[in-house]
Amino acid sequence: MSATAQGHVETPAEQQIHVAAPARRRRGHATLVIGLVLTGLVVVTALVSLVWLPYPLTDIQGGRLEAPSGAHLLGTDRLGRDLLSQLMVGARIALTVGAGAALLAGILGTAIGLTAALARPWVDDTLSATLDVVIAFPVLLLAMLVVAVQGASLGSAIFAIGLAMAAVIARLARILSRRVLQEQFVTAARTSGTRLPGIVWRHVLPNIAPTLAVALALQFGVAVLAEASLSYLGLGAPPPNASWGRMLQEAQGTVLTAPVGALAPGIAIIVLVLGVNFLTDGLREFTDPTRRRSR
């Protein structure tokens, strides 16, 4: 055991925490940096696609299944379209769907979770049971059902994926809100005459926001995979929009003769999902109060 400046004798467990904290902090910084780099690479690609593309998506003047060259850095697909241009537009669509679905899930899920936490017990029980049933269904399956009803489009994909993910956010928001509502500072606010909207705005939302932000970042990666899956099945954004999932579907028949057509979108999906996951882990290291206390 070792003694601190205040005369307190540290136990072996406390010494282990103090030794592990710097290593965990360095790992959190490294994870955050890696996530920012990988995610930033996709974001920059998407932003560039707004102002410049090597070739229009409708340009089929290139040769069929050309290998990477100076004219086409990633080659062409079976219709003669430039793969790099499709990949860049696919980054834009993936980020749009991921951000839109996460935003929709955050707004709808938080509203439902707060309603369940503040409502009467029978309303809370009903909403909780409904959320459990919805969560039991895979996100992709629910999204396919919604898109099948509304029709394939970019807006339908965002709405379907966001709606499917809202149940997960709602259950988390309910649990966090109920925990905050039991704190002493909320009781003091009620005693002082603060109305319910003020308690929610000043006390509940600020305390649940960091954890919900991390959960939404994870759901962003789920949304990207769901969008790619919908596009692969022909239920995503219709042509001429390029999607990584559609690129994979179109390249599966020529993967042996022109592997770049399948490798490029596959690697892009991996980079974005890994980047978001690393970024989420790094954010959790700085937003989780239990980890902050151990530093």
Side-chain angles (χ1 to χ4, degrees):
M1 296 185 184
S2 61
T4 63
Q6 291 80 13
H8 170 67
V9 178
E10 292 185 341
T11 64
E14 291 174 333
Q15 295 178 21
Q16 184 176 3
I17 290 176
H18 290 161
V19 171
R24 185 167 57 250
R25 187 159 54 247
R26 289 193 298 269
R27 185 169 62 250
H29 281 292
T31 301
L32 186 61
V33 170
I34 294 174
L36 286 173
V37 170
L38 294 179
T39 308
L41 181 63
V42 179
V43 171
V44 170
T45 301
L47 292 177
V48 171
S49 72
L50 293 173
V51 296
W52 176 82
L53 287 174
Y55 296 90
L57 294 180
T58 55
D59 188 345
I60 57 174
Q61 300 302 316
R64 297 178 64 254
L65 300 177
E66 283 189 3
S69 63
H72 300 278
L73 295 181
L74 294 180
T76 60
D77 64 4
R78 56 190 177 88
L79 297 178
R81 297 172 298 182
D82 182 66
L83 288 176
L84 179 58
S85 300
Q86 296 182 60
L87 194 74
M88 294 173 66
V89 175
R92 185 203 312 166
I93 290 179
L95 291 174
T96 301
V97 173
L103 180 62
L104 177 61
I107 295 174
L108 185 60
T110 302
I112 295 175
L114 284 172
T115 301
L118 297 170
R120 297 181 180 275
W122 69 271
V123 177
D124 182 21
D125 293 339
T126 302
L127 287 176
S128 299
T130 304
L131 292 176
D132 290 339
V133 172
V134 175
I135 292 173
F137 289 90
V139 172
L140 180 59
L141 177 59
L142 290 176
M144 289 174 60
L145 292 175
V146 175
V147 171
V149 173
Q150 290 193 336
S153 68
L154 187 61
S156 296
I158 294 174
F159 177 76
I161 297 171
L163 190 64
M165 296 190 309
V168 177
I169 302 301
R171 184 170 67 174
L172 178 61
R174 171 188 171 273
I175 295 172
L176 295 174
S177 299
R178 289 179 63 88
R179 186 179 303 168
V180 173
L181 290 171
Q182 295 173 358
E183 295 291 339
Q184 294 182 355
F185 59 84
V186 174
T187 303
R190 286 173 171 169
T191 305
S192 65
T194 305
R195 297 182 179 275
L196 186 59
I199 292 176
V200 171
W201 184 257
R202 299 175 187 172
H203 300 289
V204 178
L205 287 177
N207 281 279
I208 69 175
T211 304
L212 288 181
V214 173
L216 286 172
L218 285 174
Q219 294 301 309
F220 182 96
V222 174
V224 170
L225 291 175
E227 186 278 329
S229 300
L230 287 176
S231 297
Y232 183 87
L233 297 173
L235 298 176
N241 292 309
S243 169
W244 291 342
R246 179 176 289 105
M247 291 178 68
L248 285 171
Q249 191 275 333
E250 293 176 349
Q252 66 180 0
T254 58
V255 65
L256 296 180
T257 56
V260 178
L263 289 176
I267 293 174
I269 294 173
I270 293 173
V271 168
L272 180 55
V273 174
L274 281 180
V276 171
N277 287 340
F278 278 130
L279 187 61
T280 303
D281 289 339
L283 290 174
R284 185 186 294 126
E285 186 68 32
F286 295 101
T287 58
D288 190 340
T290 60
R291 299 191 180 194
R292 289 200 303 266
R293 283 196 296 266
S294 65
R295 293 179 182 177

